[in-house]
Amino acid sequence: MSAWVWSRSRWRRAAAVALALGALTLSLAWLVPLPARLSQPPSTVVAYADGTPAFVFLSPDDRYRMAATADGVDPDYLRALLRFEDQRFYRHPGIDPLAIARAAWMNARAGRVVSGGSTLTLQLVRVLEPRPRTLRSKVVEAARALQLELRLGKDQLLAAYLTFVPFGRNVEGVSAASWAYFGHGPAQLSAAEIATLLVVPQSPSARHPRPANAERLRAARDRVAAWLAEKNALPRAEDAADAAAFTAADLLESVAREPVPAGLRPLPRAAPHFAFWLRARHPGVLRLETTLDRGLQELVEREMRTAGRDHERLGIHNGAAVLLDHRTGALKAAAGGFDFWAGGPAGQIPAFDVARSPGSALKPFLYASAVERGLALPEHLVEDTPVRYADYAPQNYDGDFVGLVTLEDALSHSLNVPFVRLLGELRVESFLDELRAAGASHLRAEPGHYGLSAAIGAIEITPIELAGLYGALAADGRYTRVRWLAAESSAPAAWLSPGAAHLTRRALARRDRPDFPERRRFSQVPRDIFWKTGTSYGHRDAWAAGANADFTALVWLGNLDNTSAADLVGADAAGPILFDLLEAAAVRAAPAPARAFPRDLKTVEVCAYSGMVPGAACPARKGVLAVASHVPTATCRFHAAVDVDLVTGFALNPSCRAGKSFETRSFLVYPASLRRFLRSEAKLLSEAPPLHPDCQARGARDRSAMLRILSPQPDQTLFLLPGVPSTSQEVPFQIDADGGARSVSWFVGGRFLGELPPTESLWWTPEHGAHEITAVDDRGRTARTTLRVRERATLGATPAALR
């Protein structure tokens, strides 16, 4: 009985000791920090939309180490790895006593070390914390292996091994090795590649791919392949139907035929401007899945390298190209320079995200906005004559003026003055608010900072932002925020009406334009392309933007140090690149469905000459397209009905028609500013006949009808911008004075402001309240209008500054 009690007590003490040791082991496993290198970040990888890496950065410790998991590696490799290195990996706690016993027996029989009892966990410990090969080191490694097993679990351990296993030089991990050895990822590996990846970590310095190691690597690979084939641990055939007929000898023959890698390939380094830019925007993110299309990115980079060789000798050192899918807003390709690796002035700055002056590339959005608001139609006649706004006198690119031109022709020929006038009607801040709503984030928020020169590009916008605006035109006016991360999404928002976008595209699709690339004049150009070019003031920026049915492209050329170059002209420098990109990209796209005609367009009747609402004197009319909800209401002012004496040919008025034979005829009547310009150009004018002498005396009382105030327009309201001095918001007073007046006097509320020729504008500093504006010319004619001045409620309000 006492013996039995003693035995039971002994076993209790032994159990207590075992529990204490277990508790101590667990405590130490959690109290002792894991190997520091285990937390060392891997390489940051920027990936294409298909998941393949576009750019692999060095890790913080200067290694190419791509994070890997079992799910991303070929299952055949994993099966071979476990069979070759640790077949009881999922059944041991980090140390495999059976493997140790087997290795000791084999080594004793051979009289030398022919096998080791190391597990994958022990190998990982040695990779993370290299130590001298001593007995003490083995004890520490065993303890570490137990700790890793307790703390991480098998899946994390396997992922860590796949990430940190060495493959020679500064390449670590199966994923980085697969790209460096074979030029592809580890998801699909051949039998020879699997054997290669198994033997190199056993002796990385002696076996990693290089000419001096080639024979050693081949011999080791073939030996391991033979062993694995004997154990049925290598894939025998890709086609399961052939697996039975594919013998081990066939397998080894196929392995032997495959050459070993001769050296380390460069890891993927594509889209460098984009990759560095994206990593800076998302610090700490180790894998950045993007929307970039590999084929399109290669296409854009190739085009930009070619363009760089052509333009560097012309003093043009920087450029950017952007390609996006305007249906989804996904960025498909982006090049921030000619050649990232070639250096050169500012060659590594991502120019696609640098705000520059867009020049005339901004005009289509003025055009679309005017059509959208019902201020104009493409067929409207507009003036292209010299004009001055205080100290600003816009000029056309060639320094010449056309006189009268349709708005559509003004856009396709990129005239400046009509769009400066148009911006005056739209109001600067109102138009800029529209651009901000469509992603133009670099515009200054200070009210009044920009003036009418914004019409010809005196603002700041990046190539990506401008591409987004053109993408909205291509997408029937729906703006989708440009996105470049696959996980992001952006819903389209209504920006322009489909009708306004259609009419703008129609103007930009015309081929009879001065910015049509010269080298394309005799080659076929796809008909679904629309485009616009732009050149900034002083030849500092050359732009070309456009789209086809699937893609929107934008090209910018210039110098990031703001140096000008005579060849920086949008049509000649950037335009040909744009056409090449769109044409090449179209080959890769599936046929797009036919675009539906916008339902918000309707046919309206206009004067055939002016494109405006026909007046009674308009001799001919025609139908044109207009946005149904915003049809312009301005009546044609270019025709006048005049009663003509059939005997003398003089004009008659109601006071002197009695007793005379006459008929009513329609005559063109030009505004005074246009008449002066046409006369200065020695151009013939079609004018109404002079008034019959019998009518002159009686006609004096009608002279007031021949004087008209152009600005401010009748019964308008001026909203002052808060925080901006009223001296910076002056209002131009302008007159249309028929009849040869030499001077005009201006009055506000009866107070005399000044006298000046009718061709010049008088600028008035606005004051709150309602004001009667009076103009009196030297012939005694008078014109009046009323102007109300109010404070704009908030900066976020949307009404135009002058309504």
Side-chain angles (χ1 to χ4, degrees):
M1 181 69 180
S2 60
W4 166 250
V5 172
W6 179 89
S7 177
R8 186 170 58 183
S9 173
R10 182 179 178 185
W11 280 109
R12 285 176 178 171
R13 286 196 300 271
V17 170
L19 288 173
L21 288 174
L24 178 62
T25 301
L26 286 173
S27 299
L28 290 175
W30 288 97
L31 291 175
V32 175
L34 292 173
R37 192 157 179 263
L38 194 61
S39 60
Q40 187 71 43
S43 299
T44 296
V45 177
V46 176
Y48 288 117
D50 62 5
T52 59
F55 196 103
V56 180
F57 289 91
L58 281 169
S59 66
D61 56 346
D62 292 330
R63 312 290 176 91
Y64 284 112
R65 181 174 58 248
M66 301 166 66
T69 63
D71 292 340
V73 177
D74 192 328
D76 289 327
Y77 168 80
L78 294 177
R79 185 165 56 253
L81 171 68
L82 296 180
R83 187 69 180 84
F84 182 63
E85 294 285 5
D86 191 355
Q87 60 182 319
R88 281 180 291 276
F89 173 72
Y90 285 102
R91 298 195 297 274
H92 63 65
I95 304 169
D96 188 353
L98 292 177
I100 294 174
R102 185 198 67 219
W105 170 252
M106 293 177 64
N107 294 338
R109 287 186 59 184
R112 58 188 178 89
V113 177
V114 295
S115 177
S118 180
T119 64
L120 285 183
T121 313
L122 282 169
Q123 292 180 39
L124 176 62
V125 170
R126 294 181 190 126
V127 168
L128 297 175
E129 295 179 325
R131 293 182 176 87
R133 304 301 293 270
T134 65
L135 181 60
R136 179 182 176 185
S137 295
K138 291 183 179 297
V139 172
V140 174
E141 288 168 356
R144 275 296 205 191
L146 291 171
Q147 181 194 29
L148 291 181
E149 292 275 349
L150 287 170
R151 293 279 295 273
L152 299 182
K154 294 296 185 180
D155 290 343
Q156 282 186 269
L157 278 172
L158 184 56
Y161 177 87
L162 295 174
T163 299
F164 283 94
V165 61
F167 281 92
R169 298 184 65 174
N170 66 339
V171 177
E172 293 182 347
V174 172
S175 186
S178 182
W179 283 102
Y181 287 13
F182 316 123
H184 62 76
Q188 289 186 318
L189 298 168
S190 69
E193 290 170 345
I194 289 173
T196 301
L197 293 177
L198 290 176
V199 300
V200 172
Q202 294 182 324
S203 183
S205 61
R207 293 179 180 172
H208 78 266
R210 63 172 184 146
N213 293 343
E215 288 307 316
R216 284 192 295 269
L217 177 57
R218 179 186 293 278
R221 181 200 68 178
D222 293 349
R223 185 171 60 251
V224 168
W227 186 88
L228 289 171
E230 181 184 343
K231 306 297 183 183
N232 198 30
L234 276 182
R236 297 209 171 195
E238 294 183 4
D239 186 355
D242 298 333
F246 197 79
T247 65
D250 295 330
L251 173 62
L252 295 179
E253 185 180 350
S254 71
V255 170
R257 283 199 305 267
E258 193 167 326
V260 295
L264 295 177
R265 301 166 184 256
L267 268 74
R269 307 274 281 176
H273 288 97
F274 180 80
F276 278 93
W277 173 78
L278 190 62
R279 186 179 66 161
R281 291 174 70 95
H282 301 277
V285 180
L286 298 178
R287 186 172 179 87
L288 293 159
E289 302 280 354
T290 75
T291 61
L292 295 188
D293 179 278
R294 178 167 49 178
L296 293 176
Q297 181 66 33
E298 292 172 354
L299 163 69
V300 168
E301 290 188 3
R302 185 168 58 250
E303 289 287 343
M304 290 303 287
R305 282 194 297 271
T306 301
R309 291 191 292 269
D310 294 339
H311 290 87
E312 287 276 0
R313 57 186 177 81
L314 302 176
I316 302 171
H317 304 293
N318 305 113
V322 171
L323 193 68
L324 61 89
D325 182 341
H326 47 250
R327 295 163 298 189
T328 64
L331 188 67
K332 292 300 182 181
F338 293 138
D339 190 336
F340 185 89
W341 309 111
Q348 296 187 345
I349 294 177
F352 53 69
D353 193 37
V354 177
R356 304 287 297 186
S357 166
S360 294
L362 200 64
K363 291 173 183 173
F365 307 103
L366 278 167
Y367 183 94
S369 183
V371 172
E372 171 87 1
R373 297 193 203 178
L375 293 178
L377 289 176
E379 294 77 12
H380 272 190
L381 279 183
V382 293
E383 287 188 48
D384 179 42
T385 57
V387 65
R388 175 174 291 276
Y389 302 91
D391 59 349
Y392 175 52
Q395 301 283 324
N396 288 322
Y397 180 78
D398 59 4
D400 202 0
F401 297 92
V402 176
L404 267 183
V405 63
T406 66
L407 187 60
E408 183 174 271
D409 282 340
L411 177 60
S412 64
H413 288 76
S414 200
L415 302 178
N416 288 340
V417 173
F419 285 93
V420 172
R421 294 180 188 270
L422 192 60
L423 181 57
E425 295 184 54
L426 291 169
R427 298 298 163 186
V428 176
E429 289 301 324
S430 178
F431 175 65
L432 295 181
D433 283 345
E434 292 182 17
L435 297 183
R436 292 186 182 100
S441 63
H442 289 76
L443 296 174
R444 295 274 294 271
E446 177 189 347
H449 175 77
Y450 300 100
L452 292 176
S453 59
I456 54 177
I459 65 168
E460 304 83 30
I461 195 168
T462 70
I464 284 183
E465 291 171 348
L466 192 56
L469 297 183
Y470 275 89
L473 276 183
D476 288 329
R478 295 185 304 274
Y479 171 73
T480 304
R481 180 180 56 84
V482 179
R483 60 183 181 89
W484 40 81
L485 292 179
E488 292 182 342
S489 61
S490 51
W495 180 46
L496 298 168
S497 67
H502 172 85
L503 294 177
T504 306
R505 290 196 307 269
R506 186 183 70 179
L508 297 178
R510 289 174 49 174
R511 271 42 176 180
D512 55 334
R513 296 159 51 179
D515 65 343
F516 194 93
E518 188 65 33
R519 76 183 194 195
R520 289 278 185 169
R521 293 195 181 277
F522 302 104
S523 63
Q524 187 175 3
V525 175
R527 296 192 61 81
D528 62 350
I529 289 178
F530 73 87
W531 83 98
K532 183 72 181 76
T533 61
T535 306
S536 68
Y537 179 77
H539 291 269
R540 291 180 172 85
D541 307 90
W543 298 80
N548 57 25
D550 302 286
F551 300 107
T552 294
L554 185 137
V555 177
W556 170 83
L557 301 177
N559 293 307
L560 291 176
D561 63 2
N562 222 30
T563 303
S564 62
D567 291 285
L568 274 173
V569 179
D572 300 330
I577 304 173
L578 175 81
F579 275 76
D580 290 345
L581 288 179
L582 287 176
E583 197 166 14
V587 176
R588 297 179 53 84
R595 190 190 295 269
F597 187 80
R599 286 192 260 176
D600 63 334
L601 288 180
K602 73 172 185 179
T603 301
V604 298
E605 188 179 67
V606 298
C607 172
Y609 178 76
S610 68
M612 299 177 178
V613 175
C618 288
R621 305 182 182 201
K622 67 179 180 180
V624 300
L625 293 174
V627 177
S629 59
H630 294 82
V631 178
T633 58
T635 303
C636 174
R637 58 192 179 95
F638 291 95
H639 291 100
V642 179
D643 294 334
V644 179
D645 187 337
L646 295 178
V647 177
T648 65
F650 285 116
L652 302 174
N653 60 29
S655 66
C656 59
R657 286 202 299 255
K660 295 182 174 64
S661 299
F662 64 90
E663 67 178 7
T664 303
R665 299 175 185 171
S666 178
F667 290 91
L668 284 175
V669 178
Y670 294 126
S673 57
L674 180 60
R675 287 202 310 272
R676 285 191 295 273
F677 168 75
L678 294 176
R679 288 194 182 102
S680 69
E681 296 289 307
K683 295 183 178 179
L684 296 176
L685 294 178
S686 173
E687 295 185 302
L691 196 62
H692 195 289
D694 293 348
C695 306
Q696 293 289 348
R698 300 175 187 175
R701 64 175 176 267
D702 297 323
R703 288 174 183 167
S704 62
M706 301 172 68
L707 192 69
R708 185 163 63 95
I709 294 177
L710 298 177
S711 174
Q713 296 183 10
D715 297 321
Q716 291 182 335
T717 300
L718 170 67
F719 287 93
L720 295 178
L721 297 172
V724 180
S726 57
T727 54
S728 298
Q729 304 185 62
E730 292 182 320
V731 180
F733 288 177
Q734 297 171 334
I735 198 76
D736 183 1
D738 272 340
R742 293 188 298 273
S743 64
V744 175
S745 298
W746 289 96
F747 302 83
V748 174
R751 175 165 54 93
F752 176 71
L753 295 183
E755 181 181 359
L756 69 168
T759 57
E760 296 184 16
S761 300
L762 183 142
W763 291 83
W764 174 64
T765 301
E767 302 168 0
H768 286 275
H771 307 275
E772 183 181 65
I773 314 298
T774 305
V776 181
D777 70 5
D778 59 332
R779 298 182 58 188
R781 298 177 298 178
T782 302
R784 291 184 177 85
T785 190
T786 300
L787 175 66
R788 285 174 292 275
V789 180
R790 297 178 183 174
E791 189 78 20
R792 188 172 181 179
T794 64
L795 290 180
T798 56
L802 189 60
R803 296 193 176 190

